[in-house]
Amino acid sequence: MAIFKRGKTYWYHFVFNGLHVQKSTKQGNPRVARQIEAACRTALAKGEVGIMEPKSIPFFRGAMKSFLAWSGTEHRAHPRTHVRYVTSSKALLRHFKDAPLDRITPEDVEKFKAERGEQTGQLTGKKLRPATVNRELACLKALFNFAIKGDVVLKNPVSRVNFLEEDNEQTRVLNYKEQRKYLANASQPLKDVAVIMLETGMRPDEVYRIRVENVHLKESYLFNPYGKTKAAKRKIRLNRTAREVLKKRLSAANGSPYAFPGRTDPNRPILKMNNAHTLALTESKVNYFRLYDLRHTWATRAAMSGMDLVTLAAMLGHSRIQMVLRYVHPTEEHQFAEMRRLEEFTAAKQIAEYEGEDAQVSMQ
């Protein structure tokens, strides 16, 4: 008997008279699922039920179109997920074109992975990062899972392909001189976005989507209702600098529900600041960093100031303390200072112990 688990539910599949039969048992108990599968086989053999004609296999281009249409609705609460799929789909469409979905094998996916790993970015001219290729593989995997749920194909070829190893260690933290130069050359609204990130540690998209009704200046906090986890949906404390920036943004909102309204549609937030960020880097002559690194900068400064990791995790919106370690990168100067402090502490302890031993000897 052939049953398999998808999520919390068991499905059965088998071949009958040359046709593939697959259906959900709607059961989470494997014993009951096997009984349902056996009953279906018996009913087919007796002719009590018929077999639906198998669905036609779509070509890759059409399958991707259907998948992206579904994604746009499914991820409405997390639009950046859908945007990521749209971006990743471009390279996938160039490679797989109009291949029938059931003809794409793990070997084909491996070929795509290898080829993309050697290509360079159109804008940067640099070799693609493993993370970029992995996001494209994740999109491809999600597409096949979508097709499987629709009983179009049976297997996901990406499930047998290992993703590339990623170097997620981020060490870019701005010093205060770089911060001043960057902000002096940043145009609006990028400058205000950057200041809020540096003063609160918020993610860029969290800043973009700040709603007017969620800002409470008198109580010195704003509420972030977005995020995939409960920890991400949090109250964010505002210091004096952040309050002043948001006060000006709210005064200039002009009826928009967002503190950072879109340029063409004030009823929607801005989506990204890539071009403005690149221009600010060029004019300030500050070494390259991602806008997201301003969050790393805040977290590192908070840790260096003595903030405990539990509090830091809560303020960053992380559910696990381990996640904080990816954002905290003490500078070399701070590490040297801490080493000197440890050295002085150890020396003082040793002297105290020696003096204690000398005192005991003299008393004897």
Side-chain angles (χ1 to χ4, degrees), residues 63 86 102 195 197:
V86 172
D102 62 341
V195 169
M197 290 184 65

Side-chain angles (χ1 to χ4, degrees), residues 47-68:
E48 296 175 359
V49 296
I51 300 180
M52 295 178 62
E53 287 296 321
K55 293 184 178 180
S56 59
I57 303 298
F59 295 107
F60 188 82
R61 196 176 303 276
M64 180 62 77
K65 182 178 180 180
S66 299
F67 168 70
L68 292 179

Side-chain angles (χ1 to χ4, degrees), residues 95-96 104-114 157 160-161:
H95 183 88
F96 293 104
I104 298 175
T105 66
E107 291 74 19
D108 295 326
V109 179
E110 288 284 5
K111 183 179 179 181
F112 167 79
K113 182 179 75 172
R160 294 169 56 188
V161 175

Side-chain angles (χ1 to χ4, degrees), residues 233-249:
K233 302 170 184 177
R234 66 201 187 280
K235 286 185 178 180
I236 298 171
R237 295 297 170 183
L238 302 172
N239 61 15
R240 182 185 304 174
T241 303
R243 286 199 306 271
E244 288 300 318
V245 170
L246 285 173
K247 183 178 180 180
K248 293 178 181 178
R249 300 300 309 183

Side-chain angles (χ1 to χ4, degrees), residues 262-305:
R263 181 173 298 178
T264 57
D265 185 358
N267 291 316
R268 302 187 62 164
I270 57 177
L271 293 177
K272 56 184 179 180
M273 302 253 74
N274 294 2
N275 293 338
H277 176 61
T278 301
L279 182 60
L281 287 174
T282 302
E283 295 185 350
S284 66
K285 295 182 173 56
V286 172
N287 290 337
Y288 175 81
F289 67 88
R290 303 170 307 155
L291 190 61
Y292 202 96
D293 289 327
L294 299 182
R295 174 172 161 88
H296 291 218
T297 299
W298 178 88
T300 296
R301 292 174 180 175
M304 290 168 58
S305 72

Side-chain angles (χ1 to χ4, degrees), residues 295-330:
R295 174 172 161 88
H296 291 218
T297 299
W298 178 88
T300 296
R301 292 174 180 175
M304 290 168 58
S305 72
M307 185 180 294
D308 64 272
L309 293 183
V310 175
T311 301
L312 186 53
M315 295 181 73
L316 285 169
H318 288 310
S319 56
R320 295 184 296 117
I321 294 178
Q322 289 83 350
M323 292 293 293
V324 176
L325 301 179
R326 298 176 54 197
Y327 291 82
V328 179
H329 311 285

